[in-house]
């Protein structure tokens, strides 16, 4: 059984069509302009292909794994085929399990719940909170921010050499930074982890939308990512990798679907036999549309060709970096230096500007959507800004008023759906704001910088 999908014949040089590409937004100075969505690192717009595929399936929506009717059987096939499609996209090993979750955060919390007793976890302070915080109940070693890829590997090797060599251990590392966009030496870190008897999980939330991710080639034990960053924003995510820890752990959620057999005990209680497949951690009615949307996005990216997508994105990266480099007041944030390979994620600060004020002006004066704050990566941004750990600063809601110093930065991010015109307009807007100032007055309201009412 299958559902017809809309054919996608994309030009190799053009951005992939996304929803919202023709949306217009009002400017505070009057009139409207086509919205430049440059906050892909938070949530990328849905590919038109994904939306069309989901719309084609929607009339056939039915219960999954629970019904004998045609629509239920169709939906079950769709859900399990989506699992196979995503596993192929990730180049999983034959005995790997792929669990559908809600997000990267959900995936890594699931894995944290599945850790063996007395497991040691090693994680760099540079991680996004989704991969920095789930390990609170384990023995965690937080590693200082490295300044080169080689230093990252050496730091991990030293930490692992000093660990208890007889207990289980897990390394958690990002594939691409959500702050700087820089690529991490995942293959080398995996080799270091395995050489010291540890396993490794890859947070691919910012990597999978921009580069091919091969579980086998990178030799990672698990990979996690979110649909809403992979052009499939329907509250879905993936955890894929080795099955043994997942099969040995208690279900992440207890309920129907995770259980294979439930009986009453003589003492009046309930005895449960749990599934050993991925269903063990997918209790409840699964998000079939979310899973299908991820699979659709995987197919679209694969068919477009990552070589083509990477080449085009690097063209945009260089265009933005070259434009910002011509503005002396702008400082781009980086761990590994200007020559480090990176995806379409760039963070910066502007001398004399509160970053929240600058981002608000980009939006209201120019119709450009970026992100400001600490990007849910507080330790990393504090390190890059050279701030004291106690300096006031919040994730996306700085307290400082326009013109006041605040602990936050500005992030521009883009991808397969971004037209050249959007990044060109962004560079022009940054230059004009630095040179001429904002066209409107701004004030702080509920912790955010907003246009003042005239």
């Amino acid at each position: 059984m299958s559902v017809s999908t809309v054919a996608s014949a994309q030009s190799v040089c053009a951005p992939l069509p996304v929803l919202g590409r023709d949306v217009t937004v009002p400017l505070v100075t009057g009139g409207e302009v086509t919205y430049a969505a440059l906050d892909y690192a938070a949530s990328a717009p849905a590919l038109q292909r994904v939306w069309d595929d989901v719309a084609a399936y929607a009339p056939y929506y039915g219960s999954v794994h629970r019904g004998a009717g045609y629509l239920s059987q169709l939906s079950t096939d769709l859900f399990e085929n989506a699992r196979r499609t995503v596993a192929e996209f990730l180049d999983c090993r034959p005995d790997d399990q792929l669990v559908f979750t809600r997000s990267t955060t959900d995936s890594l919390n699931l894995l944290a719940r599945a850790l063996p007793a007395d497991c040691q976890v090693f994680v760099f302070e540079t991680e996004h909170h989704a991969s920095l915080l789930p390990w609170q109940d384990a023995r965690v070693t937080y590693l200082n921010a490295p300044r080169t890829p080689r230093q990252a590997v050496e730091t991990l090797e030293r930490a692992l050499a000093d660990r208890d060599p007889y207990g289980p251990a897990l390394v958690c590392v990002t594939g691409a930074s959500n702050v700087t966009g820089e690529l991490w030496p995942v293959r080398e870190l995996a080799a270091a982890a395995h050489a010291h008897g540890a396993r490794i999980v890859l947070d691919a939330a910012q990597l999978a939308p921009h580069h091919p991710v091969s579980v086998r080639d990178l030799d990672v034990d698990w990979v996690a990512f979110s649909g809403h960053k992979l052009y499939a924003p329907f509250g879905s995510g993936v955890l894929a990798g080795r099955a043994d820890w997942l099969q040995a752990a208690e279900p992440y959620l207890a309920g129907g679907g995770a259980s294979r057999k439930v009986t009453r005990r003589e003492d009046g209680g309930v005895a449960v036999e749990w599934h050993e497949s991925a269903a063990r951690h997918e209790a409840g009615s699964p998000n079939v549309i979310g899973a299908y949307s991820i699979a659709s996005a995987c197919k679209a990216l694969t068919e477009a060709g990552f070589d083509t997508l990477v080449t085009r994105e690097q063209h945009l990266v260089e265009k933005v970096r070259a434009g910002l480099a011509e503005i002396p007041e702008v400082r781009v944030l980086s761990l590994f230096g200007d020559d480090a390979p990176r995806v379409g994620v760039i963070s910066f600060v502007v001398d004399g500007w509160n970053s929240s004020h600058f981002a608000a002006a980009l939006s209201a004066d120019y119709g450009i959507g970026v992100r400001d704050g600490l990007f849910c990566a507080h330790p990393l941004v504090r390190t890059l800004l050279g701030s004291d750990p106690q300096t006031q600063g919040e994730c996306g809601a700085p307290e400082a008023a326009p013109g006041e110093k605040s602990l936050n930065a500005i992030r521009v991010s883009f991808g397969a759906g971004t037209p050249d015109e959007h990044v060109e307009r962004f560079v022009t807007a940054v230059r004009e704001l630095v040179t001429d100032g904002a066209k409107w007055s701004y004030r702080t309201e509920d912790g955010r910088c907003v246009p003042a009412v005239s």
Side-chain angles (χ1 to χ4, degrees):
M1 301 177 187
S2 63
V3 174
S4 297
T5 58
V6 178
S8 56
Q10 310 291 352
S11 167
V12 295
C13 297
L16 294 183
V18 295
L19 294 181
R21 58 189 180 275
D22 297 323
V23 167
T24 60
V25 294
L27 299 179
V28 71
T29 52
E32 292 187 340
V33 66
T34 301
Y35 184 64
L38 297 178
D39 193 16
Y40 276 45
S43 281
L47 289 175
Q48 185 70 53
R49 154 76 174 270
V50 173
W51 191 262
D52 291 343
D53 282 354
V54 169
Y57 161 66
Y60 301 92
Y61 178 84
S63 62
V64 176
H65 297 150
R66 288 166 174 78
Y70 180 85
L71 298 192
S72 292
Q73 293 294 306
L74 177 65
S75 295
T76 298
D77 278 359
L78 201 77
F79 185 72
E80 294 303 333
N81 284 331
R83 196 190 306 277
R84 286 186 283 273
T85 296
V86 179
E88 291 174 1
F89 178 78
L90 295 173
D91 192 25
C92 289
R93 297 162 293 245
D95 55 351
D96 283 340
Q97 277 192 356
L98 189 144
V99 180
F100 284 116
T101 65
R102 294 178 297 175
S103 59
T104 307
T105 302
D106 196 38
S107 295
L108 293 172
N109 274 273
L110 189 166
L111 185 59
R113 287 277 298 274
L115 295 180
D118 206 32
C119 185
Q120 294 177 269
V121 178
F122 297 84
V123 56
F124 286 94
E125 68 172 351
T126 47
E127 294 293 314
H128 183 272
H129 292 174
S131 49
L132 184 73
L133 301 181
W135 323 106
Q136 300 293 313
D137 293 334
R139 289 193 293 154
V140 188
T141 298
Y142 295 104
L143 306 175
N144 293 333
R147 285 300 183 169
T148 66
R150 181 66 240 170
Q151 190 179 83
V153 177
E154 292 170 348
T155 298
L156 179 61
E157 287 177 333
R158 285 194 299 270
L160 291 173
D162 292 338
R163 81 175 185 92
D164 179 354
Y166 301 106
L170 178 71
V171 176
C172 180
V173 66
T174 190
S177 171
N178 79 304
V179 176
T180 67
E182 292 164 315
L183 298 177
W184 276 62
V186 177
R187 187 179 293 103
E188 292 81 0
L189 290 167
H194 293 153
H196 290 275
R199 297 189 181 190
I200 186 168
V201 57
L202 169 64
D203 174 354
Q206 299 296 341
L207 183 63
H210 305 276
H211 279 266
V213 174
S214 169
V215 169
R216 279 190 268 207
D217 182 52
L218 295 173
D219 197 23
V220 293
D221 297 281
W222 292 278
V223 61
F225 71 88
S226 296
H228 72 99
K229 299 186 192 298
L230 195 80
Y231 311 102
F234 297 103
S236 53
V238 167
L239 175 67
R242 302 201 180 278
D244 54 349
W245 286 9
L246 298 177
Q247 290 175 346
E250 287 295 304
Y252 184 46
L253 297 173
S259 57
R260 179 159 50 192
K261 182 180 179 181
V262 181
T263 58
R264 290 293 300 273
R265 297 196 307 259
E266 291 184 1
D267 64 4
V270 173
V272 185
E273 181 181 328
W274 303 107
H275 279 294
E276 292 186 358
S277 65
R280 185 183 188 89
H281 299 291
E282 293 177 343
S285 296
N287 180 3
V288 60
I289 286 181
Y292 184 43
S293 68
I294 288 182
S296 173
C298 290
K299 288 180 180 178
L301 293 174
T302 300
E303 291 168 7
F306 267 110
D307 287 346
T308 298
L309 295 175
V310 170
T311 298
R312 183 177 183 279
E313 183 175 309
Q314 288 308 303
H315 161 72
L316 297 180
V317 168
E318 293 308 316
K319 182 172 289 193
V320 172
R321 294 185 67 209
L324 295 181
E326 294 176 351
I327 307 171
E329 293 83 356
V330 171
R331 177 167 71 93
V332 174
L333 305 182
S334 174
L335 267 178
F336 299 154
D338 290 342
D339 295 331
R342 66 197 69 217
V343 299
V345 179
I346 299 170
S347 295
F348 62 98
V349 291
V350 183
D351 289 345
W353 281 82
N354 171 340
S355 293
S356 179
H357 183 199
F358 201 90
L362 283 173
S363 175
D365 285 17
Y366 295 92
I368 299 171
V370 297
R371 172 87 181 268
D372 68 281
L374 300 180
F375 318 127
C376 292
H378 293 194
L380 171 56
V381 179
R382 292 180 190 280
T383 294
L384 295 173
L385 294 179
S387 69
D388 183 275
Q390 303 304 317
T391 304
Q392 176 66 34
E394 297 183 22
C395 185
E399 294 293 336
E404 296 180 1
K405 183 178 180 180
S406 64
L407 178 62
N408 62 326
I410 306 152
R411 183 181 71 191
V412 56
S413 53
F414 40 87
T418 306
D420 285 45
E421 185 274 330
H422 286 185
V423 299
E424 292 164 357
R425 190 182 349 150
F426 164 76
V427 172
T428 298
V430 172
R431 185 181 297 112
E432 290 182 359
L433 284 173
V434 170
T435 303
D436 303 326
K439 303 173 185 176
W440 203 262
S441 296
Y442 291 79
R443 61 185 176 83
T444 300
E445 180 179 291
D446 297 328
R448 297 298 305 165
C449 194
V450 297
V453 177
S454 62

